Amino acid sequence: MATDVVVPTLGESITEATLGQWLKQPGDPVKADEPIASLETDKVAVEVNAPIAGTLGEQLVAEGDNVEVGALIARIEAGDAAAPKPDAGKAGKAETAVNPAGPGETPALKEDAAAPKAKDDAQALSPAVRRAVIETGVDPASLKGSGKDGRLTKDDVLAAAKGGTPAPAKPAPPAEKAAPATGERHEERVRMTRLRQTIASRLKEAQNTAALLTTFNDVDMTAVMDARGRYKDLFEKKHGIRLGFMGFFVKAVALAARDVPSVNAFIEGDEIVYHDYLDVSVAVSAPNGLVVPVIRNADAMSFAEIEKTIADFGKRAKDGTLKIDEMKGGTFTISNGGVFGSLLSTPIINPPQSAVLGMHRIEERPVVVDGQIVIRPMMYLALSYDHRLVDGREAVTFLVRVKEAIEDPTRLLIDL
């Protein structure tokens, strides 16, 4: 008896997804709750799990097709998920028929039979792992997965690319194949993922709707770097997480937003919605694009809670396991382009939010302090905001409050 596999509920307001990849092929044995397909939504990749153990039957949807919640995409034949063992007598006849090797000859049947399985294993990759394989050129068939049920993870691929697990040498091309002509040019067309389409649409929406403006300032990171250097070992020993810079900036934003509440507000129709809480969207790089998981009630969290939450978001973004609900909402965004080497940028707000703070790389520069030219670790800060709601004076005030809190972290403790 066959059991239907349908598209699961994907979250509030999400009614459609794109079938990104089949993780199992027709005839493959599957276990109950084992992922058999990957769906791409507007925000994250979601795996479809097998409702029962059995054998995957007909696939009713092709990769790249759009599917609605509740749509039938495949069927699973009930039964033992383990592959049936062939009868010894039948196996011998099959070998004779497929590979009639004589005495002393080496049969190639085992190699022929193993080829489809290796192909299937290579196909059963999550979107994050598949992208890592493409970027590094590592052969996934040569790796042993450390994930659930022996599946490959992105860390497995990256470790192999760094020399942890050497990939087998590729066979040399046939001698008769002519080398490509010098100067030959190629083009490749790749369909945009649903996530990338959504990112493009929302960014363009922000430009078309909001009156965007950016104001800049720079901040001396000496005090924060000294505090971090002094306490990072004790902090990690006590809390089990490294002390980073994001905790300081989240705390500084929470402090500044109390003085300038408009940067933490929305425009809805002809009304302004103010929030007495701060939900910070943290821009995180994922294999398929930028995602913004939300730190809920960040204004009430400790440094350790903030750092643990951010570290968890970063790891799961790379693995493609962030949940849709974790990226909903958010009243303010922080984007750290400095981790990629950015010196200066004008970030775009994340609608319906009204402001985004851009952090950049720390660079030693000569500055004047008390009439003396000294070298200090400096960072440029950029605040992009919706000028319909946030006035220039308020934007500058907010950025100055953040600067003051970073340059004198004691303010974060005594609420100044």
Side-chain angles (χ1 to χ4, degrees):
M1 180 178 177
T3 299
D4 293 342
V5 180
V6 299
V7 177
T9 300
L10 301 173
E12 185 180 354
S13 76
I14 298 179
T15 60
E16 190 180 60
T18 300
L19 200 146
Q21 182 187 19
W22 282 107
L23 305 178
K24 293 288 185 178
Q25 299 303 316
D28 287 353
V30 296
K31 301 176 182 178
D33 296 327
E34 182 181 10
I36 62 172
S38 175
L39 300 175
E40 295 176 355
T41 71
D42 293 347
K43 298 181 178 181
V44 292
V46 178
E47 291 182 335
V48 179
N49 297 330
I52 63 169
T55 301
L56 183 63
E58 182 183 8
Q59 294 175 345
L60 304 176
V61 178
E63 292 182 357
D65 287 354
N66 292 333
V67 292
E68 295 183 351
V69 172
L72 177 63
I73 62 173
R75 290 189 174 92
I76 294 179
E77 300 293 337
D80 189 358
K85 295 182 180 180
D87 180 78
K90 293 181 180 179
K93 293 179 181 179
E95 181 173 350
T96 303
V98 176
N99 187 29
E105 295 178 349
T106 303
L109 178 63
K110 293 183 179 180
E111 295 179 1
D112 295 339
K117 183 178 186 306
K119 180 180 179 182
D120 289 345
D121 289 344
Q123 290 176 341
L125 306 176
S126 69
V129 176
R130 181 175 52 183
R131 184 177 182 88
V133 167
I134 294 174
E135 292 177 347
T136 61
V138 173
D139 180 7
S142 67
L143 306 181
K144 183 178 180 181
S146 61
K148 182 179 179 181
D149 297 327
R151 295 179 64 193
L152 280 180
T153 66
K154 184 177 180 182
D155 290 339
D156 295 334
V157 178
L158 296 180
K162 294 178 181 179
T165 305
K170 296 183 178 180
E176 66 273 13
K177 185 177 180 180
T182 303
E184 185 177 355
R185 308 196 308 172
H186 299 276
E187 290 184 354
E188 181 183 8
R189 291 182 181 269
V190 179
R191 182 179 179 182
M192 292 176 67
T193 63
R194 180 174 288 270
L195 175 60
R196 176 53 60 184
Q197 293 178 42
T198 302
I199 291 173
S201 174
R202 288 178 62 83
L203 292 180
K204 190 57 183 173
E205 175 192 349
Q207 286 187 322
N208 293 340
T209 303
L212 292 176
L213 190 62
T214 304
T215 185
F216 303 94
N217 212 321
D218 60 0
V219 57
D220 186 345
M221 296 292 291
T222 300
V224 166
M225 293 178 69
D226 287 348
R228 183 171 178 265
R230 189 180 306 118
Y231 298 113
K232 64 179 182 180
D233 292 338
L234 290 174
F235 186 90
E236 185 172 3
K237 182 178 180 180
K238 180 175 181 178
H239 300 291
I241 189 71
R242 294 180 60 186
L243 177 61
F245 295 125
M246 282 295 291
F248 289 94
F249 278 94
V250 171
K251 282 289 190 181
V253 165
L255 191 65
R258 295 177 188 173
D259 292 342
V260 188
S262 59
V263 300
N264 192 41
F266 296 165
I267 291 180
E268 289 187 1
D270 58 357
E271 297 180 333
I272 299 175
V273 181
Y274 292 96
H275 306 96
D276 65 353
Y277 55 87
L278 179 71
D279 288 350
V280 178
S281 302
V282 182
V284 177
S285 179
N288 292 329
L290 199 68
V291 294
V292 279
V294 180
I295 306 175
R296 311 285 179 186
N297 298 312
D299 53 320
M301 296 175 71
S302 67
F303 275 87
E305 290 171 332
I306 293 172
E307 294 293 350
K308 287 179 180 179
T309 302
I310 294 174
D312 178 61
F313 283 158
K315 181 180 184 302
R316 291 193 289 124
K318 293 178 181 178
D319 294 339
T321 58
L322 280 173
K323 299 178 181 177
I324 293 176
D325 290 343
E326 293 174 318
M327 289 180 284
K328 291 170 53 179
T331 60
F332 185 89
T333 295
I334 298 179
S335 177
N336 185 8
V339 296
F340 304 109
S342 172
L343 177 64
L344 198 59
S345 69
T346 55
I348 299 179
I349 64 173
N350 181 24
Q353 297 175 17
S354 298
V356 52
L357 178 69
M359 298 167 54
H360 302 88
R361 77 170 185 252
I362 300 173
E363 185 176 64
E364 289 191 343
R365 294 199 299 271
V367 295
V368 178
V369 178
D370 296 330
Q372 300 293 323
I373 298 177
V374 295
I375 303 298
R376 291 291 175 87
M378 305 296 294
M379 175 193 289
Y380 286 118
L381 298 179
L383 181 74
S384 291
Y385 57 97
D386 188 346
H387 210 347
R388 297 177 302 165
L389 174 58
V390 183
D391 294 332
R393 176 183 61 84
E394 293 176 314
V396 172
T397 300
F398 176 87
L399 209 49
V400 169
R401 293 288 182 273
V402 172
K403 173 184 172 70
E404 291 172 345
I406 295 299
E407 292 185 342
D408 184 7
T410 304
R411 289 174 174 265
L412 301 176
L413 301 177
I414 59 178
D415 196 18
L416 282 180

